[in-house]
Amino acid sequence: QNDRLEGALAEAIEHLRTEIAPESGIALAVALLLGGRLTMAATGGAVCMIFGQVGQSDGNVDNLEVVGSETTEPKTHCAVLEDSHLGALLTVNSVRSSGLSAARMRALARSHTMGDRPRAGCVSLLEEAQKAGAQPPLVAAAVRFSWSRNQTVKKQRTDPSNLTKVRCRHLLLRYVGCQAPLGDRRKKPTRSSGDAE
């Protein structure tokens, strides 16, 4: 099944290349998540990488990367994800060739992704790449994998006789003739006093 996923992704990239830039080729990084399998593909020097939690840098699948060659042929790999996988990072050749190692790129993305801030991880990576002399276009995308154990949890019905608290929400609706606060720049209300009740 891994070979079929890799082949389908490579075929889609090749089809896209023939439509967009048949002579020069394209540079892209793609990650396709189906169930527990992450199929990654890269071409034109772009890179896709997955990473685990801090301390999982022993070279196993938690630190797998797919680096696209400068040719038009995409490099692909399909990985079976586990609970220990934290996220994925995709970036372009200019970031990769700025001198940042794969371990450093992972560390920058991981530190923010662990705190559910993958966008901040991308910004941090791009800033460091710029400091290292990377030239635009600079692009990065990071994702955090969220693993859920109970996918079909039903909300328990509550017995009305066991209720001890009641929550009441009071929504105030503006109406024609109501007093607007000073500096209120919103549109004037059009509903009547009766409609607001």
Side-chain angles (χ1 to χ4, degrees):
Q1 187 174 8
N2 291 357
D3 292 338
R4 287 183 23 214
L5 287 171
E6 290 176 23
L9 198 53
E11 184 180 324
I13 292 171
E14 180 60 28
H15 181 71
L16 185 64
R17 183 192 66 79
T18 57
E19 284 188 17
I20 295 176
E23 292 84 30
S24 61
I26 57 175
L28 59 84
V30 179
L32 175 66
L33 182 61
L34 292 172
R37 297 178 192 277
L38 182 70
T39 307
M40 300 175 288
T43 184
V47 63
C48 298
M49 58 179 66
I50 57 176
F51 50 88
Q53 302 285 341
V54 175
Q56 293 180 337
S57 58
D58 57 358
N60 62 9
V61 74
D62 291 323
N63 290 319
L64 176 74
E65 61 208 41
V66 176
V67 179
S69 65
E70 297 297 329
T71 66
T72 60
E73 183 72 25
K75 302 283 188 198
T76 60
H77 183 79
C78 186
V80 177
L81 298 177
E82 299 171 4
D83 291 352
S84 61
H85 291 110
L86 178 64
L89 173 68
L90 291 77
T91 191
V92 293
N93 186 28
S94 55
V95 173
R96 187 179 62 84
S97 61
S98 68
L100 295 177
S101 67
R104 181 65 183 148
M105 288 192 284
R106 272 191 195 91
L108 289 167
R110 179 187 291 126
S111 64
H112 294 283
T113 303
M114 286 180 65
D116 286 329
R117 298 177 305 137
R119 184 176 178 186
C122 294
V123 170
S124 177
L125 172 65
L126 297 179
E127 285 176 350
E128 188 147 331
Q130 274 185 319
K131 289 177 188 174
Q135 296 298 314
L138 300 177
V139 179
V143 296
R144 178 182 169 108
F145 302 135
S146 296
W147 306 106
S148 61
R149 297 272 180 230
N150 301 326
Q151 295 178 349
T152 58
V153 175
K154 287 187 175 180
K155 186 175 180 181
Q156 297 291 326
R157 289 186 181 216
T158 54
D159 183 10
S161 62
N162 292 338
L163 295 178
T164 57
K165 293 182 181 180
V166 175
R167 181 182 293 171
C168 180
R169 292 188 178 156
H170 188 145
L171 300 177
L172 300 175
L173 300 176
R174 295 175 50 203
Y175 58 92
V176 175
C178 71
Q179 187 176 12
L182 289 175
D184 188 12
R185 297 182 184 184
R186 294 179 285 184
K187 294 191 301 186
K188 298 211 182 281
T190 58
R191 71 174 63 88
S192 69
S193 172
D195 291 340
E197 288 185 20

